Amino acid sequence: MNFDLSEEQQLLKDSAWRYGADHGDFTAWRARVERGEAYDAASWRRMADLGWLMLNVPEDDGGLGAGPTETMVVAEAVGRYLMLEPFVSTGVIAPTLLTAATEALRAHLMAGLAEGKLVISLADAEPNGRFDLNRIATRAEAVEGGFRLTGAKSHALDGGAADWFVVPARTAGADDSQDGVSLFLVPAEIEGLTVMRSRAMDNRHNASLKLDGVVVPAENLIGGLGEGFPLLRDAVDRGVVARLAEAVGAMDAVREMTMEYLKTRKQFGQTLGAFQALQHRAVDMAIACEEARSMMYLAMIALSGVPAERRKVIAAAKARVGQTSLYVGRQAVQLHGGVGFTEELAVAHYLKRLIMIDMAFGNADHHRAELAASLRPGAVAA
């Protein structure tokens, strides 16, 4: 199969890498982190101007309606340059969910998203969810003119800076059923919603939510009542693949930093790269990067396949990229020695980013178990 980029896709990649190189200064990045900024607002607007936030917005809504390859190209640059901007949450997952929103809300939110004026976060996890997307205990009951939401969400990617949340809630069925799940748009500033903001180890500003009788109008329902799980699954799958591309970009960058360090750092009168044992570890890192890239490509192709088979491929890719990315990140830190653990060196931050990508939407162990369960006779993919 030919994985070469088209001319337009290559131009997009060149633009994304050039943007990262021009605006990805590590000293400036650390300064923003120390100031407690969730992301660079000016950079977010420039990304909107470049069209990145329109990639997954359908053409009917004024977007580009691009495919997974274009998303992968940008997400890889996001990882390579440690960008903090909420590209996956707001530029990939949110547009997928908003395609089923009411016409008025879709028009308003898609436009704000594409222009870089809004951050929209999916509150996907619950305290007892254990990475299972269908474990939803948050409840929504019909009231006059809308719905009342009650429950808790333990994680919302980039939720610390979100203007809106997409909240999955149960309108019917048991807490682990795929049926009876509904999706609701909830503004961050609404009575009854408590947003507990936190900074993750990779310096992303996430959030957990407490919904204490939050009442939203009926038009804030996304899709059909009780029919939201397939759309939720599709959006998360696309988010997972984008984060795999982000991991591949980070892996390549930290491996290149490590190779440069081995070529220049001297010990016992010769460069570290002259030691055969370290050469072997460098080769293993290169192999891990290529393996991760291959699995990411496989997952990207699977997005256009049948949902049940797609889930198997994405679970396998998530598990393997999680393993290889942590291997590369840890090797990079170890090969840098003691300085590799410091805040002043980028490699430590790349490892933290890779750890959080592995945890996002289920770690390697979870997806390996999910894949094994799906291969049993008569199994139904979640």
Side-chain angles (χ1 to χ4, degrees):
M1 185 173 288
N2 182 12
F3 291 107
D4 291 339
L5 300 177
S6 67
E7 183 178 355
E8 292 80 7
Q9 291 165 346
Q10 186 61 50
L11 288 172
L12 177 63
K13 178 177 180 178
D14 293 343
S15 172
W17 282 43
R18 186 165 56 250
Y19 179 86
D22 292 343
H23 301 279
D25 178 70
F26 181 62
T27 302
W29 183 92
R30 284 195 62 217
R32 287 196 300 273
V33 167
E34 290 173 2
R35 289 194 299 268
E37 297 176 10
Y39 62 93
D40 184 350
S43 180
W44 187 237
R45 288 191 295 271
R46 284 193 292 266
M47 291 179 182
D49 293 339
L50 288 168
W52 296 3
L53 307 186
M54 300 177 68
L55 290 174
N56 290 283
V57 175
E59 292 183 61
D60 291 344
D61 292 304
L64 298 176
T69 302
E70 288 78 11
T71 300
M72 175 270 294
V73 164
V74 174
E76 190 175 340
V78 169
R80 184 177 185 85
Y81 295 101
L82 274 185
M83 298 179 193
L84 293 170
E85 286 67 36
F87 174 72
V88 174
S89 59
T90 300
V92 179
I93 297 175
T96 304
L97 295 169
L98 289 176
T99 55
T102 58
E103 184 175 351
L105 265 179
R106 189 174 70 244
H108 168 64
L109 296 179
M110 286 288 199
L113 182 156
E115 294 170 6
K117 295 179 179 179
L118 291 177
V119 173
I120 303 174
S121 172
L122 169 64
D124 61 290
E126 297 206 357
N128 296 316
R130 296 182 294 182
F131 291 135
D132 292 329
L133 195 61
N134 55 294
R135 284 186 177 272
I136 298 172
T138 298
R139 294 281 168 172
E141 59 176 333
V143 296
E144 185 177 354
F147 296 88
R148 180 184 291 114
L149 281 62
T150 304
K153 296 292 180 179
S154 58
H155 179 262
L157 179 64
D158 299 314
D163 302 289
W164 288 79
F165 294 97
V166 176
V167 176
R170 189 164 295 285
T171 48
D175 287 357
D176 61 350
S177 174
Q178 296 181 23
D179 298 324
V181 175
S182 301
L183 306 177
F184 298 91
L185 279 162
V186 179
E189 302 294 334
I190 189 172
E191 185 178 356
L193 176 64
T194 303
V195 181
M196 292 157 284
R197 296 171 175 83
S198 60
R199 191 167 74 175
M201 67 185 299
D202 64 344
N203 294 301
R204 299 194 82 93
H205 287 231
N206 301 327
S208 56
L209 310 180
K210 181 179 179 182
L211 300 105
D212 187 9
V214 174
V215 177
V216 296
E219 55 264 28
N220 283 31
L221 172 67
I222 299 176
L225 185 66
E227 300 174 353
F229 187 79
L231 178 61
L232 176 63
R233 179 77 273 173
D234 181 54
V236 169
D237 282 349
R238 293 179 185 279
V240 166
V241 175
R243 296 225 74 182
L244 294 184
E246 188 180 340
V248 169
M251 290 169 69
D252 281 342
V254 78
R255 183 186 69 84
E256 291 168 11
M257 292 177 187
T258 304
M259 296 306 101
E260 185 63 27
Y261 184 77
L262 293 179
K263 292 175 183 177
T264 56
R265 180 76 167 96
K266 289 189 175 181
Q267 191 76 296
F268 305 112
Q270 55 185 328
T271 60
L272 292 176
F275 294 95
Q276 190 175 47
L278 300 188
Q279 293 173 8
H280 290 168
R281 292 170 72 173
V283 169
D284 289 341
M285 289 175 70
I287 292 172
C289 287
E290 289 305 310
E291 187 176 352
R293 181 174 294 278
S294 297
M295 293 302 292
M296 182 266 290
Y297 282 151
L298 184 63
M300 185 181 70
I301 294 170
L303 285 175
S304 60
V306 178
E309 293 304 313
R310 179 184 69 191
R311 281 303 309 141
K312 295 177 185 178
V313 173
I314 291 178
K318 184 69 163 65
R320 191 57 186 148
V321 173
Q323 293 168 330
T324 54
S325 64
L326 294 184
Y327 173 80
V328 169
R330 288 165 178 162
Q331 288 295 312
V333 169
Q334 290 180 12
L335 289 173
H336 276 82
V339 71
F341 290 91
T342 64
E343 290 286 313
E344 289 75 16
L345 206 65
V347 289
H349 296 281
Y350 277 95
L351 174 57
K352 292 174 184 178
R353 174 67 64 90
L354 292 170
I355 289 172
M356 293 306 297
I357 292 175
D358 175 54
M359 293 291 292
F361 308 113
N363 61 12
D365 289 341
H366 169 79
H367 283 277
R368 190 164 53 246
E370 183 179 289
L371 176 62
S374 70
L375 295 175
R376 297 190 189 112
V380 177

